[in-house]
């Protein structure tokens, strides 16, 4: 049974940093795309960052230069280092994985469509 478990969320002041981790298990083969999505209160879930098995990252424009995604293929773990956090980054952050080869497209469409395997989420709150 596939399972994704997030950790590392919390509360931080504006300008601070957090590091999210997600451990995936139950896969016969490591999924090509692993990524992070978020849903702020009253908004649709959106893609934040994705990374393929060759470690090629893709970011949504609003986090470029502030967030860094990485993964450990041997451990089926993906990380999201979040620096220079802003109040608008406040959201529930979800880890997800998919076997598709088109990670960039998956990042754009998977948020509202639930395409892939998903974790339960971890809350990130940034205060001003």
């Amino acid at each position: 049974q596939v399972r994704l478990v997030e950790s590392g969320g919390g509360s931080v002041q504006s300008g601070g940093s957090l590091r999210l981790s997600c451990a995936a298990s139950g896969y016969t083969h490591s999924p090509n795309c692993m990524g992070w999505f978020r849903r702020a209160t009253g908004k649709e879930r959106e893609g934040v960052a994705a990374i393929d098995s060759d470690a090629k990252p893709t970011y949504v424009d609003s986090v470029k230069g502030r967030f860094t995604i990485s993964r450990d293929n041997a451990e089926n773990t993906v990380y999201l280092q979040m620096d220079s956090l802003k109040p608008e980054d406040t959201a529930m952050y979800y880890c997800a994985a998919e076997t598709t080869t088109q990670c960039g497209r998956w990042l754009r469409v998977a948020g509202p469509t639930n395409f892939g395997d998903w974790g339960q989420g971890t809350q990130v709150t940034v205060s001003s």
Side-chain angles (χ1 to χ4, degrees), residues 8 25 45 51 59 61 70 77 95 100 107 116 128:
S25 59
R45 186 168 56 189
I51 187 167
Y59 299 96
D61 286 347
S70 59
T77 301
C95 172
T100 180
L107 185 67
S128 57

Side-chain angles (χ1 to χ4, degrees), residues 1-21:
Q1 182 179 357
V2 169
R3 188 173 181 223
L4 293 94
V5 179
E6 304 97 335
S7 61
S11 297
V12 65
Q13 289 193 327
S14 182
S17 298
L18 285 172
R19 187 179 192 233
L20 305 183
S21 300

Side-chain angles (χ1 to χ4, degrees), residues 1 8 11 14 16 18 35 43 59 61 68-69 75 79 83 85 91 93 96 98 111 115-116:
Q1 182 179 357
S11 297
S14 182
L18 285 172
K43 294 188 177 182
Y59 299 96
D61 286 347
T68 304
I69 189 170
E75 298 294 329
Y79 305 95
D83 298 317
L85 281 160
Y93 282 71
E98 232 296 312
F115 184 47

Side-chain angles (χ1 to χ4, degrees), residues 92-113:
M92 183 70 77
Y93 282 71
Y94 298 89
C95 172
E98 232 296 312
T99 56
T100 180
T101 59
Q102 301 181 38
C103 293
R105 182 176 184 277
W106 175 67
L107 185 67
R108 292 192 300 273
V109 305
T113 62

Side-chain angles (χ1 to χ4, degrees), residues 6-105:
E6 304 97 335
S7 61
S11 297
V12 65
Q13 289 193 327
S14 182
S17 298
L18 285 172
R19 187 179 192 233
L20 305 183
S21 300
C22 172
S25 59
Y27 287 97
T28 302
H29 302 288
S30 181
N32 183 58
C33 299
M34 297 188 76
W36 292 93
F37 297 74
R38 66 186 181 188
R39 175 158 49 205
T41 301
K43 294 188 177 182
E44 195 171 63
R45 186 168 56 189
E46 64 172 355
V48 175
I51 187 167
D52 66 15
S53 56
D54 292 326
K56 179 183 176 182
T58 302
Y59 299 96
V60 67
D61 286 347
S62 61
V63 307
K64 284 180 180 177
R66 300 189 298 121
F67 290 10
T68 304
I69 189 170
S70 59
R71 69 186 282 174
D72 181 334
N73 286 336
E75 298 294 329
N76 266 357
T77 301
V78 63
Y79 305 95
L80 186 68
Q81 177 65 41
M82 304 185 293
D83 298 317
S84 301
L85 281 160
K86 304 176 181 180
E88 51 263 44
D89 294 316
T90 295
M92 183 70 77
Y93 282 71
Y94 298 89
C95 172
E98 232 296 312
T99 56
T100 180
T101 59
Q102 301 181 38
C103 293
R105 182 176 184 277

